[in-house]
């Protein structure tokens, strides 16, 4: 310009700008200004980074009180680092960075230093905090002097570093202190070494006190660290001993002593001498173990002596329960032997009888005791001893009956007999059975109750004791509730052994099992491995070797043996038992070598009557035999007469729990008679789980068994008052059913710690537990001491994998990752408050995951994790399950839980409507609505149930709820429902009510159903116009009347030539009304589910509606589901679009609301038990608003997200979704469009296209439209999919593909009726016939075609297509790409051969030696036709070698498109495939190159590849393809061209722009082989393979093709004349084809 100016001066005005001629240099100025702006942005960005790190501090707080510090909450640091690193990589990618390159590099290094230091710091801190607790103990310091010195060194350095950081605070300066990273890395390595030494050290400790093998490492370290503080070891005693809960400890001078042991039931036994608790913890725990044994030996001797001297009741109160039981058994053995000797020697038959008489007298005494006022512990003692004494009485009776007269008779020898014998100056108890002998184990058992012994139990004992005698294991097998585990445990109690029950699961590995076995061998304890056959077969083969080495050592009688490469001690009392529940899912068949080590025992249903009688006796009931018979009869009649429900269980567990509950009730209500108590207990325990149909039956059975007995009604006045207050607060109806269910749930929860609320969707399950929770919390706050505050921890177990639920080991690193459930349970159990804590499992229950909960749900109440950790559930923690049904739960699960059944038929929909009406303020509206509900709803619901079928059935209440939601969204003053306009107010309410009813309750039915409902409603309601059905009308707020949807289409639609076909949307009644409904529901935030056959426009309606929302307020996310979609992927996809707001709360990026559209919602494959994890994840979110972080196990609340979903009808890979999830949506069934609508769509397209054609041609538009629809209908009914023709799937998209071809007609070339007809024939062949697999189908197709030509075109197929050769159309013969009819085949062949030569001559291509015979030319033409179309993709089906790929390459060359193929190598996996896809997306989306992606099914290394290809076909988007920094590079490359097209710079907009360009340029050609199972499954699992492609079936090459190939190759060989060659070839071909004998 050669002018000087200062832009800041006042005289720099517009006049000056014009004068200086700035406009002539506009481009240059724009460039300079743009560059300066960009440079300024970089400069400001760097400045902002600098300022941020000047003020960012590390949060370092004091740790303990020794001058140490720790780093806490570093989320802000990591967030800042992430953001800044992305900013810097963006700057580096910019071409304007030159001036700031050094600064950017400096900051990159700085940030990476901060990141490394903070990460290393956290690693060191984690290990240091863990080890610091350990090295505080002097004991460990002495044991590990070198490691202690190393730790002290690390500790000192750590203190220096952290003190300095605490003073400095600033993150930048703290992390850039010289040598800090090196120092921390060195410390990290040292701490890792210390950790390894520590593991070795733990192993030595376990060797000294082998019971440590049953503890996890963390527990053991905690114990070792507290060696000097025995009080802190107390909590772990229960894990080391069967029933020592705590020790009585006192301090004498400097030394702690233990004077007594206490059991879980508060029984206390003084040690003979005080045990000093000093020195190393493993040593003094060993002393405690020895003191326990010696004390019990002495106590047993004293108890036995006192038995003869004092009265039984006093004796029982004075001595420990365990020694009392054993003494009575010793006494009974001695008495029986004495009586048998008398019988033998003197022939005295009465000796046994008089002994029995004594026993009966004694039992009566005990019975009196049970009725007296006993303490909890005394009652436990009496109940246990009665159980044993009754059994002894029964044996005596049996001996009398059998006339036994010899102490060596087998009847007597087969019993468990207890003897007192002298051994080393001590009286030792010995137990004998048959020819086996055991020494009593003297493990302190407290008063943990004993099992009722039935004849089955006796037989089981004989097998188990013989197995131990023969150095084998025992294996009780049988169905749930037959007492497998309990029998093993009870035999252990009888022999005074320590029995450890391990709940086996799939996740157990051989290391965990090895640790258990090592512990058992060294302690001499018994291990009972429950559900042993759930362990994986690979693990079992190793376990077999482990068990074999122990059993072999026992048989050899050695004291030490080699186990897992180490020599360990062997205590000969150890036993290994396994229980198995045969015959249902998740069970492995045991290997033979393992089977042979265990003696099998078949466990069958035991004698329930005997068990009932003895339990009742122990609980203090009189007339036990009669009551037991009644109980047993009730349960057996219930099993026979009631309906068969999955949640019913009338087995042994249910029976025993009823009797125990009755005992508790008897003590609480002493003024009731025994029968009243028992009847009340049965009602409490059984009525809650009855369906409404079974309730009268069970009541009838009870009144027959207990005639004339009325049960007193429990007084729940306070509870009821609290429940009604809570219901009122929530705006719900206070009705009897809700009361009953809430009270029943409360009663069931007080009697069982695991409760399941079972019932269909919307039966009031959630309401009952939520009401109980808030009612109990309210009562607690009002000061009632009987109630606690209730906290609920919800999770959906099926939204996670097993490993994510329970925790798992990483197979490569053997590192333990905690699970969500284990973390939730641990947190709930670690809380010391009195609050009740309910762990709520809201989701399907199946054997896969619930089996691992068995030990939590039964009396053990222990969650066993595969890392050896055992979490014991304290009293306030209980389990609550909310589940639709128990069809896939095992009987073992059902029998362990209390059941409450919620029946929808008890509640129905009226309470919901009442609650909804109660929220309405306008009285007149409420009255009118109530009248309308009464007028329409009952009748219409009944009519629909009886006379209509639904494509996807909806629950009754779901329909009513949808009606209310829709009414709330539409009945607004804007829509004419305005109380000010009194004249029309009531009428408009009625109109809108009817409209909402039609589009909620009545819109789920199919086409036929709609006609019936139309007739039915018109009979009751005369306001609708006569034309068309009621579904065709909407309420017009202006005219206050019904108006046809057609009115909204008056404006008409204009076809714009040149618009890509996929962008053509012809508005119809369907599109208008569905968009109206969807957008109304979106605005009112009601989840929408669109259902309907494939091709009815569900996706386009959803996308169209979503594209019209305000992009400033809403973001849109589309998730395409397929059979391979996992819940992880869905969670990741959604989380990639949200950002953290506060702790645990996430919101959509940019402060918008997120509309998530889930297409093909029912495609995710069901697991073995019928659950769909991705959908269960969405259900958890819909119900509770959060899901779990799978790595940190914390809750992640996702706010401001809204769901819209679409799905086809179940079948062909599409699943029936859970009704519990479906009921959360407003369902709209998009029926197949009416024929008039299809004609409207395609007729208006073709007729507008033909406007400027010859007059002769114009009328053919309507004929072609009708013909296409009829053709489609005929094809669909004729060609049905079968396993061999799985791809015979047709939908409306096929009609649109025909019209897509017809719209390519050109007025100069298609100027006659015949020309258009030939074009139509060609398109029909391409769309329908190309996928047909054999001659017969093709002939049938031609038959249909001939029929339509005759009836509609007045033509014959032969006339239009001479020699019955279908036409070939193509746009590759002329330069101006006209889609013309190619009649000269020779010319076509020459053209293609020339192009092939041209292709082979191109540089860098692999030479293709092809013979282009007729079929090959046709295939090329078909491929070109599709890939020329925007978004045209193909599926080529044929066997390998049929030319699919070569012909595609040639076709791509003809269309001037690049081809892209992946190269599979040995290590090619998902990551490499994704990298290739990024290259492909760069080529198509950034370089803007038209590209054909050829993908062959032989390249499918992982099924996940097909998932990505399915996504490319359906939406063009591969979820989570780019990381933030990778996408930044793409964004920078696209930003300029996006600006030119007026697209803003936000990442979301650029991403959408990229996907649009990719879809415009990319054509996928899938090559698949029809052979075998994979093809069938893939077509079923990935819907886009058929829906989004045009299919071409490659048949085997015909004879003339083979001849042509032979011709070509033999031409080059000199073997005589042409004719001779042809004859030889013909003969060879003929003889070959005739040699193949047809089967």
């Amino acid at each position: 310009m050669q002018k000087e100016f200062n832009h800041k001066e006042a005289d720099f005005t517009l006049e000056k700008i014009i004068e200086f001629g700035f406009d002539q240099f506009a481009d240059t100025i724009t460039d300079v200004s743009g560059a300066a702006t960009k440079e300024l942005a970089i400069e400001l960005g760097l400045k902002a980074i600098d300022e941020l790190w000047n003020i960012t501090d590390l949060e370092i707080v004091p740790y303990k009180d020794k001058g140490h510090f720790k780093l806490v909450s570093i989320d802000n640091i990591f967030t800042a680092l992430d953001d800044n690193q992305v900013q810097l990589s963006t700057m580096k990618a910019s071409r304007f960075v030159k001036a700031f390159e050094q600064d950017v590099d400096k900051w990159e290094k700085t940030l990476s230093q901060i990141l490394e230091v903070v990460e290393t710091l956290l690693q060191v801190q984690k290990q240091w905090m863990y080890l610091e607790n350990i090295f505080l103990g002097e004991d460990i310091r002495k044991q590990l002097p070198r490691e202690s010195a190393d730790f002290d060194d690390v500790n000192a350095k750590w203190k220096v570093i952290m003190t300095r950081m605490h003073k400095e605070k600033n993150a930048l300066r703290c992390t850039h202190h010289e040598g800090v990273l090196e120092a921390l890395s060195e410390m990290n390595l040292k701490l890792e070494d210390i950790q390894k030494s520590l593991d070795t050290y733990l192993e030595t400790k376990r060797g000294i006190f082998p019971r440590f093998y049953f503890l996890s490492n963390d527990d053991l370290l905690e114990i070792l660290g507290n060696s000097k503080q025995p009080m802190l070891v107390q909590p772990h005693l229960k894990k080391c001993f069967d029933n020592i809960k705590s020790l009585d400890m006192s301090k004498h001078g400097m030394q702690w002593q233990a004077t007594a042991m206490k059991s879980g039931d508060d029984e206390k036994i003084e040690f003979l001498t005080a045990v000093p608790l000093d020195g190393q913890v493993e040593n003094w725990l060993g002393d405690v173990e020895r003191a326990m044994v010696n004390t019990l030996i002495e106590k047993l001797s004293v108890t036995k002596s006192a038995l003869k001297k004092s009265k039984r009741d006093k004796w029982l109160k004075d001595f420990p329960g365990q020694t009392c039981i054993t003494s009575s058994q010793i006494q009974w053995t001695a008495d029986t032997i004495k009586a048998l000797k008398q019988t033998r020697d003197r022939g005295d038959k009465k000796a046994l009888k008089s002994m029995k008489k004594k026993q009966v007298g004694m039992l009566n005494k005990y019975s009196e005791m049970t009725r007296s006022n006993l303490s909890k512990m005394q009652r436990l003692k009496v109940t246990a001893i009665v159980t044993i004494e009754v059994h002894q009485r029964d044996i005596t009776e049996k001996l009398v009956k059998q006339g036994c007269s010899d102490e060596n008779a087998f009847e007597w020898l087969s019993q468990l007999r207890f003897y007192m014998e002298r051994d080393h100056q001590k009286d030792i108890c010995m137990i004998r059975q048959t020819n086996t002998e055991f020494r009593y184990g003297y493990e302190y058992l407290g008063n943990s109750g004993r099992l009722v012994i039935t004849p089955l139990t006796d037989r089981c004992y004989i097998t188990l004791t013989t197995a131990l005698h023969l150095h084998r294991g025992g294996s009780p097998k049988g169905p749930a509730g037959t007492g497998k585990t309990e029998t093993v445990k009870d035999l252990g109690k009888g022999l005074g052994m320590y029995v450890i029950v391990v709940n086996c699961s799939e996740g157990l590995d051989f290391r965990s099992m090895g640790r258990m076995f090592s512990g058992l061998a060294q302690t001499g304890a018994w291990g009972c491995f429950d559900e042993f056959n759930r362990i994986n077969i690979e693990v079992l083969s190793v376990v077999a070797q482990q068990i074999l080495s122990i059993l072999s050592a026992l048989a050899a009688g050695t004291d030490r043996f080699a186990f897992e490469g180490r020599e360990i001690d062997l205590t000969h009392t150890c036993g290994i038992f396994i229980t198995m529940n045969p015959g249902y899912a998740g069970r492995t068949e045991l290997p033979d070598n393992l089977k042979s080590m265990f003696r099998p025992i078949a466990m069958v249903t035991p004698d329930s009557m005997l068990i009932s009688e003895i339990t009742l006796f122990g609980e203090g009931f009189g007339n036990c035999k009669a009551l037991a018979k009644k109980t047993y009869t009730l349960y057996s009649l219930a099993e026979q007469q009631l309906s068969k429900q999955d949640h019913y269980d009338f087995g042994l567990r249910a029976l025993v729990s009823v009797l125990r509950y009755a005992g508790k009730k008897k003590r609480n209500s002493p003024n009731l008679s025994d029968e009243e108590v028992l009847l009340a207990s049965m009602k409490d325990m059984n009525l809650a789980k009855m369906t409404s149909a079974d309730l009268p039956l069970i009541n009838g059975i009870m009144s027959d068994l207990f005639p004339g007995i009325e049960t007193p009604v429990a007084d729940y006045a306070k509870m009821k008052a609290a429940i009604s207050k809570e219901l009122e607060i929530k705006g719900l109806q206070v009705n009897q059913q809700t009361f009953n269910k809430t009270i029943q749930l409360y009663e069931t929860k007080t009697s069982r710690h695991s409760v399941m609320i079972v019932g269909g969707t919307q039966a009031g399950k959630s309401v009952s537990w939520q009401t109980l929770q808030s009612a109990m919390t309210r009562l607690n706050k009002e000061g009632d001491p009987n109630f606690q505050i209730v906290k609920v921890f919800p999770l959906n177990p099926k939204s996670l994998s097993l490993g994510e639920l329970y925790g798992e080991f990483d197979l490569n690193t053997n590192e333990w990752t905690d699970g969500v459930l284990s973390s939730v349970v641990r947190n709930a159990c670690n809380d010391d408050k009195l609050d009740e804590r309910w762990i709520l499992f809201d989701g399907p229950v199946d054997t896969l995951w619930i089996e691992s909960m068995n030990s939590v749900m039964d009396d053990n109440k222990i969650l066993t994790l595969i890392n050896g950790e055992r979490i014991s559930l304290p009293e306030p923690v209980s389990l609550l399950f909310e589940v639709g049904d128990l069809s896939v739960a095992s009987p073992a699960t059902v029998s362990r839980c209390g059941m409450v059944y919620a029946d929808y038929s008890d509640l129905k929909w009226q309470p919901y409507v009442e609650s909804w009406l109660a929220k309405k303020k306008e009285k007149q509206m409420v009255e009118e609505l109530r009248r309308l509900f009464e007028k329409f709803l009952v009748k219409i619901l009944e009519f629909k149930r009886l006379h209509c079928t639904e494509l996807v059935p909806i629950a009754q209440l779901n329909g009513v709820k949808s009606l209310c939601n829709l009414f709330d969204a539409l009945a607004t003053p804007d829509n004419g429902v305005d109380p000010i306009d009194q004249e029309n107010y009531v009428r408009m309410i009625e109109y809108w009510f009817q409209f909402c009813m039609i589009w909620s309750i009545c819109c789920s039915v199919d086409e036929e159903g709609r006609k019936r409902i139309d007739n039915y409603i018109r009979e009751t309601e005369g306001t609708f116009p006569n034309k068309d059905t009621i579904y065709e009308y909407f309420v017009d707020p202006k005219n206050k009347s019904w108006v046809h949807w057609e009115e909204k289409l008056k404006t008409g639609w204009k076809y714009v030539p040149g618009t890509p076909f996929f962008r053509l949307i012809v508005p119809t009644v369907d599109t208008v009304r569905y968009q109206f409904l969807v957008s109304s529901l979106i605005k009112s935030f009601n989840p929408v589910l669109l259902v309907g056959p494939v091709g009815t426009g569900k996706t386009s309606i959803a996308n169209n509606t979503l594209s019209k929302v305000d992009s400033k307020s809403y973001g849109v996310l589309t998730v395409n589901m397929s059979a391979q979609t996992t819940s992880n992927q869905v969670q990741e996809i959604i989380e990639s679009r949200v950002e953290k707001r506060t702790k645990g709360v996430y919101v959509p990026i940019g402060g918008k609301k997120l509309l998530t559209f889930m297409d093909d919602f029912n495609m995710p494959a069901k697991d073995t038990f019928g659950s769909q994890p991705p959908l269960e994840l969405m259900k958890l979110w819909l119900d509770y608003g959060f899901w779990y972080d799978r790595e940190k196990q914390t809750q992640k609340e996702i706010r401001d997200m809204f769901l819209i979903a679409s799905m086809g009808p179940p079948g062909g890979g599409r699943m029936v979704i859970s009704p519990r999830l479906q009921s959360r949506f407003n369902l709209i069934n998009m029926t197949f469009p009416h024929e008039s609508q299809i004609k409207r769509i395609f007729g208006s397209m073709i007729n507008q296209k033909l406007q400027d054609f010859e007059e002769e041609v114009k009328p053919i538009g309507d004929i072609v439209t009708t013909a296409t629809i009829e053709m489609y209908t005929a094809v669909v009914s004729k060609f049905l999919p079968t396993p061999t023709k799985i791809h015979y799937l047709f939908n409306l998209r096929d009609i649109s593909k025909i019209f897509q071809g017809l719209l390519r007609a050109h007025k100069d070339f298609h100027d006659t009726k015949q020309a258009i007809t030939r074009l139509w024939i060609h398109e029909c062949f391409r769309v329908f016939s190309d996928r047909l697999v054999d001659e017969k189908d093709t002939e049938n197709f031609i038959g249909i075609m001939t029929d339509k030509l005759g009836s509609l075109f007045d033509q014959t197929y032969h006339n239009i297509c001479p020699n019955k050769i279908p036409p070939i159309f193509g746009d590759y013969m002329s330069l101006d790409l006209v889609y013309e009819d190619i009649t000269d085949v020779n010319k076509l062949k020459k053209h293609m051969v020339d192009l092939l030569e041209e292709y082979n001559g191109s540089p860098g291509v692999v030479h293709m030696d092809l013979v282009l015979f007729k079929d090959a030319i046709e295939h090329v033409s078909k491929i070109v036709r599709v890939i020329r179309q925007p978004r045209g993709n193909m599926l080529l089906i044929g066997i390998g070698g049929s030319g699919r790929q070569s012909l595609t390459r040639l076709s791509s060359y003809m269309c001037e498109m690049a081809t892209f193929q992946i190269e599979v190598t040995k290590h090619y996996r998902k990551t490499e495939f994704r990298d290739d896809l990024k290259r492909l997306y760069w080529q198509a989306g950034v370089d803007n190159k038209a590209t054909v992606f050829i993908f062959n099914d032989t390249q499918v290394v992982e099924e996940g590849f097909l998932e990505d290809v399915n996504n490319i076909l359906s939406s063009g988007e591969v979820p989570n393809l780019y990381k933030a920094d990778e996408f930044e590079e793409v964004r920078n490359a696209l930003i300029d061209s996006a600006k030119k097209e007026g697209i803003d710079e936000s990442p979301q907009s650029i991403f959408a722009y990229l996907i649009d360009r990719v879809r415009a340029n990319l054509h996928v050609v899938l090559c698949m082989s029809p052979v075998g199972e994979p093809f069938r499954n893939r077509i079923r699992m990935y819907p886009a393979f058929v829906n989004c492609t045009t299919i071409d079936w490659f048949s085997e090459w015909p004879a003339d093709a083979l001849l042509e190939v032979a011709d070509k190759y033999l031409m080059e060989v000199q073997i005589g004349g042409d004719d001779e060659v042809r004859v030889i070839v013909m003969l060879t071909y003929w003889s070959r084809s005739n040699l193949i004998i047809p089967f």
Side-chain angles (χ1 to χ4, degrees), residues 224-486:
L224 295 174
N226 295 319
S227 209
K228 293 282 178 283
Q229 294 165 289
M231 290 304 285
L232 296 175
V233 178
Q234 291 268 40
H236 298 286
L237 288 174
K238 184 82 179 74
K239 297 172 187 169
C240 298
F241 296 93
D242 190 290
N243 205 351
I244 299 184
K245 186 189 174 193
S246 60
L247 300 171
D248 267 8
M249 294 181 182
S250 55
K251 205 165 187 183
H252 290 268
M254 293 302 290
Q255 194 186 51
W256 282 91
Q257 285 186 343
T259 51
M261 54 186 172
K262 273 188 182 169
S263 69
D265 43 73
D266 282 340
E267 183 179 67
K268 178 171 162 182
I269 299 184
E270 299 284 341
F271 287 137
L272 297 177
T273 54
V275 182
L277 306 179
D278 63 344
Q280 291 171 8
V281 67
E282 68 276 18
N283 292 336
W284 63 252
L285 276 173
D287 294 343
V288 169
E289 185 183 357
R290 285 182 282 280
M292 170 185 79
V293 172
N294 293 332
T295 304
L296 285 178
I297 290 175
E298 181 60 29
K299 272 278 184 249
L300 183 57
S301 187
V302 175
T303 313
K304 169 77 180 64
S305 311
L307 174 57
K308 293 174 184 165
K309 298 171 193 166
S310 56
K311 286 192 173 176
R312 284 274 172 142
D313 47 357
K314 184 176 184 310
W315 169 78
L316 190 57
K317 285 177 182 173
D318 291 349
F319 291 96
Q322 182 179 352
T323 57
C324 286
I325 290 174
T326 313
S327 300
S328 82
Q329 288 173 302
I330 294 169
Q331 185 61 47
W332 166 76
T333 306
D335 289 350
T336 311
I337 289 174
K338 189 176 165 190
L340 286 168
K341 276 185 177 167
Q342 274 183 5
T343 312
R344 186 189 62 195
D345 297 346
R346 300 183 196 163
D348 179 2
K349 292 275 171 79
K350 288 182 182 167
L352 276 170
K353 282 183 183 170
S354 60
M355 179 183 157
K356 185 196 157 192
K357 213 174 192 175
K358 252 168 63 184
Q359 282 179 308
V360 172
M362 199 161 57
L363 281 169
N364 289 338
K365 256 210 187 93
Y366 285 140
S367 184
E368 278 169 35
M369 274 181 82
T370 57
R371 290 193 198 94
S372 61
N373 197 5
L374 296 172
S375 69
K376 186 181 174 187
M377 188 177 70
Q378 287 169 341
R379 180 166 304 285
L380 286 168
K381 277 192 202 177
V382 177
T383 311
I385 201 159
V386 163
T387 308
I388 296 296
E389 288 283 3
V390 169
H391 178 237
Q392 293 174 352
R393 178 201 68 189
D394 291 348
I395 292 170
T396 312
E397 200 172 315
K398 188 172 143 196
L399 293 175
V400 171
K401 274 186 188 162
Q402 289 173 338
C404 185
S405 59
D406 188 352
E407 77 264 35
N408 291 323
F410 183 73
E411 289 83 10
W412 170 240
L413 290 179
S414 63
Q415 305 303 328
L416 265 184
R417 313 184 307 286
F418 290 72
Y419 302 88
M420 189 67 102
E421 296 179 356
R422 294 292 284 174
D423 180 29
H424 298 95
Q425 316 303 305
K426 288 179 183 173
D427 287 330
I428 297 297
C429 174
M430 299 299 288
I431 299 113
R432 298 189 176 88
Q433 187 173 28
T434 58
N435 59 341
T436 65
E437 180 177 77
F438 303 94
R439 181 186 159 121
Y440 190 73
Y442 295 103
E443 177 74 25
Y444 178 48
L445 307 169
N447 293 302
S448 49
R450 292 298 294 271
L451 202 61
V452 176
I453 300 170
T454 64
L456 171 75
T457 323
D458 273 332
R459 285 201 296 280
C460 186
Y461 283 175
I462 295 173
T463 317
L464 289 173
T465 50
T466 315
L468 286 169
H469 179 67
L470 297 171
H471 312 302
R472 282 277 163 272
S475 162
K477 306 173 181 184
T482 46
K484 302 180 291 292
T485 313
E486 291 305 316

Side-chain angles (χ1 to χ4, degrees), residues 86-146:
V86 169
Q87 277 175 283
L88 290 171
S89 59
T90 312
M91 289 175 189
K92 280 197 94 163
S94 166
R95 61 175 193 272
F96 305 105
V97 76
K98 261 287 180 263
F100 309 99
E101 226 158 12
Q102 284 179 338
D103 290 357
V104 172
D105 286 347
K106 186 197 90 176
W107 271 111
E108 270 197 328
K109 284 177 190 153
T110 306
L111 294 185
S112 102
Q113 168 87 352
I114 295 173
L115 181 66
E116 272 188 75
V117 170
V118 172
E119 280 181 342
T120 318
L121 191 71
L122 286 171
Q123 279 177 334
V124 172
Q125 176 171 293
K126 186 179 168 190
Q127 294 200 65
W128 171 79
M129 283 165 76
Y130 176 61
L131 294 169
E132 197 239 1
N133 284 330
I134 296 163
F135 283 102
L136 282 175
E138 281 304 311
D139 170 37
I140 290 182
R141 298 183 74 81
K142 281 180 193 159
Q143 299 289 321
L144 302 170
R146 185 179 69 78

Side-chain angles (χ1 to χ4, degrees), residues 22-42:
F22 271 68
D23 50 332
Q24 291 158 29
F25 301 94
D27 288 350
T28 316
I29 292 170
T30 308
D31 289 350
V32 172
S33 165
T37 311
K38 289 282 194 308
E39 285 180 10
L40 179 64
I42 293 173

Side-chain angles (χ1 to χ4, degrees), residues 612-626:
S612 309
E613 186 187 336
I614 295 169
T615 310
L616 285 166
F617 191 95
E619 295 290 354
F621 284 81
N623 193 10
C624 300
K625 235 186 178 64

Side-chain angles (χ1 to χ4, degrees), residues 155 187 339 357 413 509 563 573 730 734 835 837 969 1042 1060 1126 1374 1517 1535 1573 1614 1629:
N155 197 26
M187 284 154 77
K357 213 174 192 175
L413 290 179
D509 63 351
F563 183 77
T573 54
K730 289 177 180 161
V734 181
D835 300 353
R837 299 179 284 286
W1042 292 110
T1126 64
S1374 61
E1517 185 177 333
I1535 214 153
E1573 199 67 23
Q1614 294 301 313
Y1629 177 73

